[in-house]
């Protein structure tokens, strides 16, 4: 699924950058090389970040489809 249609950034792309250390939507957008667009992706990116840290707190690892 696409987290950002404007820049063709997938959920897996976001998860990979969060796993590599990005902790905010701004850090993910920077890591993905995203420039300002419509902004509709920000909430989706934040949700994916929250899912990552919630799973981390439970001791789970979120995996990407490619893994």
């Amino acid at each position: 699924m696409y987290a950002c249609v404007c820049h063709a950034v997938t959920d897996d792309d976001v998860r990979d950058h969060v796993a590599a250390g990005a902790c905010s939507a701004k850090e993910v957008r920077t890591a993905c090389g995203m420039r300002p667009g419509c902004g509709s992706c920000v909430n989706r990116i934040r949700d994916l970040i929250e899912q990552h840290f919630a799973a981390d707190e439970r001791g789970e690892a979120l995996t990407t489809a490619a893994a």
Side-chain angles (χ1 to χ4, degrees), residues 15 44 46-56 62:
R15 287 185 191 104
R44 178 73 182 143
R46 286 181 182 153
D47 288 344
L48 291 166
I49 293 168
E50 288 176 18
Q51 289 173 16
H52 173 84
F53 288 108
D56 191 46
L62 290 178

Side-chain angles (χ1 to χ4, degrees), residues 2 5 10 16-17 20-21 23 34 40 43 45 49 52-53 56 58-60:
Y2 282 99
V5 175
T10 66
D16 290 344
H17 289 295
C23 296
M34 298 167 63
S40 65
N43 287 333
I45 292 170
I49 293 168
H52 173 84
F53 288 108
D56 191 46
R58 293 188 308 264
E60 301 171 2

